Amino acid sequence: MTVADRMIERRWDQFHTWGPYGLLGVSAVLAVLSAAAGELMADVTEWYVVGGLIVAAVALQVWWHVTRSGRRPTGPDPTDPGPSGSRPAGHRCRTPSPAGTGYYVVRWAIAFALTWINPFFAFYAATGYMDADELLPGRWRRLGLFAAAVTVAGAQSGGLPPDGAVRWTVFAALLAANSGLQMVIAHLTEQEEQRTRERTATIAELESTNAALQQALDENAALHAQLLVQAREAGVADERRRLAAEIHDTIAQGLTGIIAQLQVVANAPDLAVARTHLARASDLARHSLGEARRSVHNLAPVALEHDGLPEALKKTVAEWGERTGTRAEFTVTGGVEHLHDEVSATLLRIAQEALSNAARHARAGRVGVTLSFLGDEVILDIRDDGRGFDPLAVPERTGAGGFGLDGMRVRAERIAGTLTVESEQGQGTALSARVPLVRHD
């Protein structure tokens, strides 16, 4: 309820409290003036009766004021239509009570008696229009309004009881007019109250919906924070896997090559052969050191520092073949494109891992590497004529082993690619990495 609404209700309550006093006073003054003019209340007995009724009306009003002040006002009953033409829409009513009903009936009886003696007391009788909705329950309200209309119509027609057919006709017409007007106002007020209740229910529903929405927003915020934490953890885990793969594909392979060269040196028949393999071991050590530094800084492989992927693969295959003594060939097909650094690094790492596996496990006499540019994708094929294996029987990676096929597959999938392996015992191995062709920015 706004400040303006509270002010209107306070004034309406003041009118309900002091209005009957004022209307009774106005009626009494007009009655005295009319009697002084010699038109009404010529009998002294009527003066005593009127005086007694006025005192009774004041006492009744004082009693109701005290009783009403002790009752706590409540909101409109949502199940009660409350027909009344006596109060503005939106005014907060009080729940009818037996005391209020008794007060209304007694007040009407006093007003009716006063109006019977002097029609000017119709002003006081009009209080029945003011608060029938607050004092009378349910359908009794319409009866209360009709009773008030009877008193007012009687006064308007010249007093009660009407004498003569003409005055009875006038009284009936005035009663119909007063009752009809009050019923129309009551009906309109009832509809307005119904709309007010519906608006109140809608506002309550909107508040409930807003509360539920706020709760959902809070839950979403908490979920978002949780997802950020999970994404951060997943990013850390992914970075750890990437670094592990980088170390495996660079330092581990380089150390493996160094060990192989030193083993040859240990069994070398003469000093010239030993020096050749020592030089290769030294080159591998320097190469691995450079790779380690670039892995830490998340840079491209050394082979890609100055060359594109085709040139880097060509050199890698040639150096691997020279180091292992295996016949190795490299071929490029299609229109060569300048690939994105991540795509080039991924395919080079896959080739390095595949060649390392061929050297350690395949015992191949010949290896062929093909890089194909096919429109919107790039395909890297590595084939060897080694002893092969059963892809379904590959053991799971252990802490002591390398990354192998799993590492190559993860690398390909990281850039939305795929890795397929075909191999049979004694029939060699064919590995194919297919990734999207993403050009260099």
Side-chain angles (χ1 to χ4, degrees), residues 335-360:
V336 177
E337 299 276 0
H338 191 189
L339 300 176
H340 190 278
D341 293 343
E342 186 67 20
V343 175
S344 298
T346 297
L347 293 177
L348 180 60
R349 294 304 190 200
I350 291 175
Q352 290 173 336
E353 175 66 15
L355 292 174
S356 176
N357 289 341
R360 287 184 293 173

Side-chain angles (χ1 to χ4, degrees), residues 246 298-301 304-309 337-349 411 415 438-441:
E246 290 288 338
N298 195 25
L299 298 176
L304 295 173
E305 186 173 4
H306 303 292
D307 298 323
L309 179 61
E337 299 276 0
H338 191 189
L339 300 176
H340 190 278
D341 293 343
E342 186 67 20
V343 175
S344 298
T346 297
L347 293 177
L348 180 60
R349 294 304 190 200
R411 285 185 179 277
I415 58 173
V438 182
R439 295 173 177 81
H440 188 275
D441 295 337

Side-chain angles (χ1 to χ4, degrees), residues 238 242 245-246 248-250 253 291 298-304 307-310 312-313 316 339-355 369 371 378-382 404-419 431-438:
D238 185 69
R242 186 193 67 79
E246 290 288 338
H248 170 267
D249 292 344
T250 57
Q253 292 183 19
E291 288 287 0
N298 195 25
L299 298 176
V302 175
L304 295 173
D307 298 323
L309 179 61
L313 282 175
T316 298
L339 300 176
H340 190 278
D341 293 343
E342 186 67 20
V343 175
S344 298
T346 297
L347 293 177
L348 180 60
R349 294 304 190 200
I350 291 175
Q352 290 173 336
E353 175 66 15
L355 292 174
V369 178
L371 180 65
V378 184
I379 302 176
L380 175 66
D381 295 305
I382 300 100
L405 295 177
D406 288 341
M408 288 186 283
R409 184 170 289 108
V410 169
R411 285 185 179 277
E413 292 175 352
R414 186 179 294 143
I415 58 173
T418 59
L419 181 80
L431 181 147
S432 179
R434 184 185 298 262
V435 301
L437 193 155
V438 182

